[in-house]
């Protein structure tokens, strides 16, 4: 034991040094403001990229290998083809046919239809990740380009949000390391708005108080995303498609062998609770996140919990959009019904790291709840632990004859687009959407309830706010729904308790009876004297 | 009236601290088992584990003492006078001026019924509670001792069953204290160490 503690301290010290450096921003040996190549002026993003590549010769080809670029990911466990290109979700459903809107969160320029050439080097967008000025924003329907002239979104709408023309030269001359804001530009607003998708990531993490995120807070460790998701050659570790459910390697000692820092254990080890050793008895079965993220969406923003597409195309009391008191839409004629929630207690499941997706061509049960993703693991799996999840539920379109998930063509001005010329015609939108993915639409659609499980891993609270023992070790606590194992405080053996308390009652009755008879005879003897 | 020292200082210390520990172990144990809420699970479990170590320590100490002093022989079961004792508790005790057939002396402290009951306590209930309790405590190390396929519910169940046996024992034991004549006779003996001989 003492050996491990010493090792932990030692490794902690070694790691603390680079950790602090990351946090304060390492001093660079290059001042991009002095580079001839970046004098500009630049007319477009790709021109800037061409300049970057003059020195950073390998950057584009490194990025071309990543999921950030390809939006395709082959699960190393299931072999399923995942990534934004391939999965069907229960938010905006799918990317195909909706490219220019979706790819405003792609790290490239110009992905506006399926023919986008993924091998172009200058199509990589360096600035969206490396901007330090906060002025570089991708235009929402710009297929990854920022606004080169002032324009609003939605376009030509005086009430829309203004996107000012970006000064590409200035941005290029100020590039630096990624920050919470640059990663967050896409990851905090996934699903089309702040905090919509993940629940444990929203713009409150750009400058979080310590209570919200003990690692990322400037009052805590001041981490950026890359402190844990530390890239190697632009390859960012820590994938939601293939997470590490249980890291048994523990401390990630700096070494020549590159390894991801993205698990808690890579810094904290597998026995991090020196002051409360009982907690170390839990780390093999309970993910760190389960206790250390008591609730998600704690930063003051709500996350979307429910999206019912079946009511899209209808108005409520003549209104296109109905909002709640905090301004969150409850109904939108374009999208259907929503439910939102802040400070959400996660749902808990056993999880061994294997995720299976329900992909486009898989037959589904139209009567049941379609699990967009499902996972394996149970109490007796050595690799599985209890993990917290956000469960996104909703209702989404299916091809009612083929019993497969259907993908709508939403965005665009054309004849088929659900939000455009199609005028909320599901048949047109689904036929066009499915055609793009090589599927013939049968002509009849329906809606099915679905659930999408999001492992919760951000918004780690300070230790004093961690979930206490009593919240799980009790009859209807946080883990009430998990079965197949005996947990003290939650479980007892029913027949044994009945038998036991009956014996106790019998013993009490026997001694009371004996005592009463003694009292009776004592009185009797007294009276008869 | 004679005064005989029947319970030495050590025996009294041992008896009362064991009593306190066991009562508290029952309280905290059955809170963990879900019978009621007093400390809250976390505190109850913590106190239970801490008390358990104290009880184990005390037991080691007591076993040592009993062997060195030879007092363990007090617990050897006997049938001598058993009938009379049973008859006393079921019938004679209700009669006027009846006298317990067994006379407590420093050499023979326990009546035959007590010998059987205490032996059951010492050889069954306590060891089962210790072994199951220690296994419960070291659940995480079960794979190291080849117990990875044993369900925790089994060990917890055995421990709980022994806990119930302990509670039943305690109830009857406490009642029996007050079957002396006069009423406080036995209690006094275990507090002062002296047995007042009233005959
Ligand atoms: C008079 C003595 C004792 C009584 C009446 C007693 C009773 C109980 C009961 C009823 C439980 C709850 C079991 C369940 O619901 O699963 C329990 C739990 C437990 N007992 Fe005991 N026990 C006693 C002594 C001990 C001893 C001597 C040990 C250890 C050497 C021990 C260790 C434990 C442990 C580790 C637990 C689980 C508590 C937890 O959740 O961490 N107990 N006990």
């Amino acid at each position: 034991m003492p050996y491990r503690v010493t090792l932990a301290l030692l490794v902690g010290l070694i790691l603390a040094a680079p950790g602090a450096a990351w946090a304060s921003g390492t001093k660079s040996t290059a001042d991009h403001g002095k580079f001839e190549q970046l004098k500009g002026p630049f007319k477009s993003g790709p021109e800037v990229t061409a300049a970057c590549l003059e020195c950073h010769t390998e950057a584009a080809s490194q990025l071309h290998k990543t999921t950030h670029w390809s939006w395709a990911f082959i699960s190393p466990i299931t072999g399923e083809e995942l990534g934004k290109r391939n999965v069907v979700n229960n938010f905006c459903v799918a990317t195909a046919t909706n490219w220019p809107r979706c790819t405003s969160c792609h790290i490239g320029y110009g992905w506006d239809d399926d023919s986008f050439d993924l091998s172009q080097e200058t199509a990589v967008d360096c600035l969206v990740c490396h901007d330090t000025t906060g002025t570089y924003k991708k235009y929402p329907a710009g297929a990854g380009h920022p606004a080169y002239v002032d324009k609003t979104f939605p376009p030509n709408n005086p009430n829309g949000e203004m996107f000012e023309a970006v000064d590409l030269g200035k941005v290029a001359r100020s590039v630096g390391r990624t920050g919470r804001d640059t990663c967050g530009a896409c990851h905090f607003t996934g699903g089309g708005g702040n905090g919509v998708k993940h629940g444990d990531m929203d713009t409150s993490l750009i400058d979080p108080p310590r209570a919200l995120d003990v690692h990322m807070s400037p009052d805590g460790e001041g981490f950026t995303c890359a402190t844990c998701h530390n890239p190697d050659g632009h390859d960012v570790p820590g994938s939601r498609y293939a997470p590490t459910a249980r890291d048994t390697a523990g401390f990630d000692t700096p070494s020549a062998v590159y390894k991801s820092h993205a698990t808690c254990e890579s810094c904290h080890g597998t026995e991090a609770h020196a002051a409360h050793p009982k907690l170390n008895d839990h780390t093999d079965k309970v993910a760190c996140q389960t206790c250390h993220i008591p609730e998600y969406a704690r930063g003051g923003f709500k996350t979307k919990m429910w999206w019912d597409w079946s009511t899209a195309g209808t108005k409520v009391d003549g209104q296109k959009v109905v909002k709640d008191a905090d301004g969150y839409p409850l109904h939108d004629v374009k999208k259907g019904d929503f439910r939102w929630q802040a400070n959400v207690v996660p749902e808990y499941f056993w999880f061994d790291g294997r995720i299976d997706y329900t992909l486009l061509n898989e037959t589904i049960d139209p009567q049941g709840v379609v699990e967009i993703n499902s996972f394996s693991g149970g109490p007796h799996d050595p690799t599985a632990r209890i993990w917290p999840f956000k469960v996104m539920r909703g209702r989404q379109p299916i091809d009612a004859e083929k019993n497969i998930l259907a993908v709508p063509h939403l965005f665009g001005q054309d004849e088929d687009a659900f939000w455009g010329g199609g005028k909320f015609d599901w048949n047109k939108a689904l036929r066009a959407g499915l055609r793009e993915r090589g599927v013939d639409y049968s002509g009849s659609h329906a809606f099915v309830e679905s659930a999408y499980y999001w492992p919760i891993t951000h918004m780690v609270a300070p230790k004093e706010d961690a979930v206490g023992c009593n919240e799980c070790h009790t009859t209807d606590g946080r883990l009430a729904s998990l079965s197949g194992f005996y947990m003290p405080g939650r479980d007892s053996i029913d027949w044994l308790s009945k038998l036991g308390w009956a014996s106790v009652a019998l013993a009490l009755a026997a001694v009371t009876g004996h005592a009463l008879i003694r009292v009776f005879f004592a009185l009797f003897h007294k009276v008869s004297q | 009236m004679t005064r005989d020292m029947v319970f030495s200082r050590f025996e009294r210390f041992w008896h009362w601290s064991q009593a306190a520990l066991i009562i508290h172990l029952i309280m905290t144990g059955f809170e963990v088992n879900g019978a009621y809420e007093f400390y809250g699970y976390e505190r109850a479990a913590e106190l239970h584990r801490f008390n358990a170590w104290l009880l184990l320590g005390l037991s080691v100490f007591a076993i040592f003492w009993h062997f060195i002093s030879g007092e363990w022989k007090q617990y050897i079961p006997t049938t001598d006078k058993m009938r009379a004792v049973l008859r006393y508790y079921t019938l004679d005790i209700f009669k006027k001026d009846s006298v317990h057939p067994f006379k407590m002396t420093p050499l023979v402290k326990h009546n035959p019924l007590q010998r059987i009951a205490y032996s059951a306590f010492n050889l069954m209930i306590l060891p089962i509670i210790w072994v199951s309790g220690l296994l419960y405590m070291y659940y995480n190390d079960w794979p190291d001792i080849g117990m990875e396929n044993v369900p925790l519910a089994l060990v917890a169940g055995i421990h709980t069953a022994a806990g119930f046996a302990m509670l039943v024992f305690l109830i009857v034991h406490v009642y029996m204290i007050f079957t002396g004549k006069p009423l406080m006779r036995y209690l006094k003996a275990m507090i002062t160490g002296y047995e007042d001989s009233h005959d």
Side-chain angles (χ1 to χ4, degrees), chain A residues 342-355:
Chain A
N343 306 315
V344 197
V345 174
E347 296 182 41
Y348 300 92
F349 303 97
W350 288 98
F351 177 43
D352 66 1
R354 179 195 168 101
I355 308 185

Side-chain angles (χ1 to χ4, degrees), chain A residues 43-44 94 119 198 221 247 257 350 367 396-397 430 442 467 482 494 504:
Chain A
K43 287 199 289 299
S44 71
S119 68
H198 290 267
E221 302 298 324
D247 178 352
V257 186
W350 288 98
Q367 251 56 57
Q396 66 189 97
L430 296 176
S442 73
V467 174
L482 297 182
D494 196 44
V504 170

Side-chain angles (χ1 to χ4, degrees), chain A residues 278 473 486-489 491-493, chain B residues 21-23 25-34 41 44-46 48-49 51-53 55-56 125-126 129-138 152 155-157 159-164 166-167:
Chain A
K278 192 74 213 166
H473 289 273
Y486 185 91
M487 183 162 112
D491 299 320
S492 58
I493 302 162
Chain B
L21 286 174
I22 285 182
I23 289 170
L25 279 163
I26 289 175
M27 279 176 64
T28 50
F30 281 104
E31 172 155 15
V32 167
N33 192 239
Y41 171 83
E46 236 167 54
H48 191 80
R49 291 192 297 264
N51 268 5
W53 283 117
L55 182 67
L56 279 177
I125 304 181
L126 265 186
I129 280 216
W130 290 332
V131 173
S132 59
L134 280 171
L135 285 173
Y136 206 150
M137 233 185 261
Y138 288 99
L152 176 59
V155 169
H159 191 73
T160 310
F164 276 120
M166 187 68 94
L167 182 50

Side-chain angles (χ1 to χ4, degrees), chain A residues 387-398:
Chain A
W387 270 78
F389 288 87
K390 167 186 170 177
V391 188
M392 172 67 189
R393 297 186 165 87
R395 287 160 60 76
Q396 66 189 97
I398 59 168

